[in-house]
Each structure stands twice: as C-alpha cells, then as structure tokens.
Amino acid sequence: MKKIKRLCLSFWLSFCSFSPGLVLYLYTIDIFPSHNSCVCSFLKIGVLVFLMISLSFGILHLVIRYKKANETAQAKSIQPVENEIIPTYLGLFVIMLGLDGLTFLYQVVVVILLFLIWWILMERSYYFNLIWLLSYRYYRITDDTGNVYIIYSKKKDVKVTGTIEGLVRINNFTFLEKG
C-alpha cells in the first residue's frame, strides 16, 4: 500500500512539473474550433493556466500537510539553480510547439511518451516544478561527503551553511523546507 501511495504521489508530482508543457500543447490545438475570437483564446489560456497553477500548488499543499518534516541536511555549500532548470523547460516547450505538423494521434503518442520519459527518467533523480518558482527558490546543497541535493526554500537568498532542519522528502535527492 505504501508503494502505491509513493507511486501515485510521484505520478502527480511529475504531472504537475510537466503541466507547463502540456498547457502550451493544449493551447496550440483547437479546443474551441468554432470560436476563433480573441476572447476565446484568452479564456482558453486563462483556464488552462489557472488549472495548472491550482494543481501544482494543490499537490504542494498536500505534500506539506501530510509528509513529515523530519529530515535534516548538512550544507557545506549552497547555490541557487533556477538557471539550470529553465533550459529543460525551454526544450520541452520547443518540442510541444513543433508537434503541429503531426496528425492528432501521433501528437498524443508523442506527448504521452514525453511524459513517461519525464516521469520515469528525469524525475528519478531531481524533482523540478517550474510553477513552484512563484513561491520557492531552488538551491543545490552539497554536504561534507560530496552528496548533492536540491532543496526548495521560501528563503530568497540563502548563503549560510550548516544544518538545515525541517525538510520534507520529495524524492531521494529533493527536499522541501517546511518552515
């Protein structure tokens, strides 16, 4: 049962981090094919962005609420890493925008394959969510033994090394500072 919960959480976390690319893809296809007005376009993008942000922060709220903040990390060095994440998302966005030359069935297959690659391969090591950048900063923490972790923190400019307490484990290499 614990394994199923962990798998479900991993799926939804990956879906939330993949959602900016999915929203971009959904915007490029005609959801309202008989309504090509500017109002429908803005309505469509507004609803999609609202759903994406709501889902991402909803999952974040569940992680904060139901996972124990009992992890600690010894930080030898700390540095922000948002600039390393953005190219991954830009690549995803370029792929999503380039799908319009394929038939709809192939587009769906490519999107599903991209999501599976995202979920199985990329999220296995570090977890990145572009939407969480609205409230958090990503920091790479290196400990005394050379292990590298990613920590989400609401603190905007962390430079102090030492013990970081009250961490919630998202996966083996990514943590969320709960305070």
Side-chain angles (χ1 to χ4, degrees):
M1 187 66 173
K2 205 172 194 180
K3 226 176 188 181
I4 293 172
K5 282 183 180 180
R6 194 173 333 129
L7 186 65
C8 286
L9 179 64
S10 169
F11 173 83
W12 283 109
L13 284 168
S14 294
F15 184 79
C16 288
S17 68
F18 188 76
S19 67
L22 187 60
V23 164
L24 185 63
Y25 168 70
L26 290 174
Y27 184 71
T28 61
I29 62 174
D30 277 336
I31 295 176
F32 306 115
S34 63
H35 299 94
N36 284 334
S37 69
C38 188
V39 173
C40 283
S41 293
F42 283 119
L43 179 64
K44 179 169 62 168
I45 194 67
V47 167
L48 291 174
V49 168
F50 175 76
L51 289 173
M52 172 185 65
I53 291 172
S54 298
L55 183 64
S56 287
F57 280 111
I59 295 293
L60 173 66
H61 178 71
L62 289 175
V63 167
I64 290 172
R65 187 171 184 169
Y66 293 110
K67 283 196 149 204
K68 295 179 183 173
N70 57 0
E71 303 283 341
T72 60
Q74 291 292 329
K76 182 178 178 182
S77 71
I78 300 174
Q79 65 186 129
V81 291
E82 288 96 357
N83 59 341
E84 296 176 13
I85 302 165
I86 301 302
T88 303
Y89 279 98
L90 288 176
L92 178 63
F93 294 162
V94 168
I95 292 170
M96 292 299 193
L97 287 173
L99 291 178
D100 64 342
L102 300 174
T103 64
F104 182 71
L105 179 63
Y106 286 137
Q107 289 177 12
V108 170
V109 169
V110 169
V111 169
I112 290 171
L113 286 174
L114 282 173
F115 174 71
L116 289 174
I117 290 169
W118 190 275
W119 180 29
I120 295 169
L121 299 178
M122 291 181 64
E123 301 287 330
R124 190 178 286 174
S125 55
Y126 297 121
Y127 174 74
F128 303 119
N129 189 327
L130 188 65
I131 305 303
W132 290 4
L133 282 177
L134 297 172
S135 296
Y136 289 87
R137 292 224 39 205
Y138 296 143
Y139 293 99
R140 177 185 297 126
I141 307 294
T142 306
D143 66 9
D144 293 333
T145 60
N147 295 321
V148 178
Y149 304 99
I150 297 292
I151 294 181
Y152 291 89
S153 177
K154 285 202 176 218
K155 298 173 186 166
K156 297 300 179 192
D157 193 23
V158 176
K159 294 180 182 163
V160 178
T161 58
T163 303
I164 302 172
E165 296 179 348
L167 299 175
V168 175
R169 180 182 297 269
I170 293 176
N171 65 20
N172 289 337
F173 299 101
T174 307
F175 298 88
L176 176 74
E177 192 173 22
K178 194 174 180 175

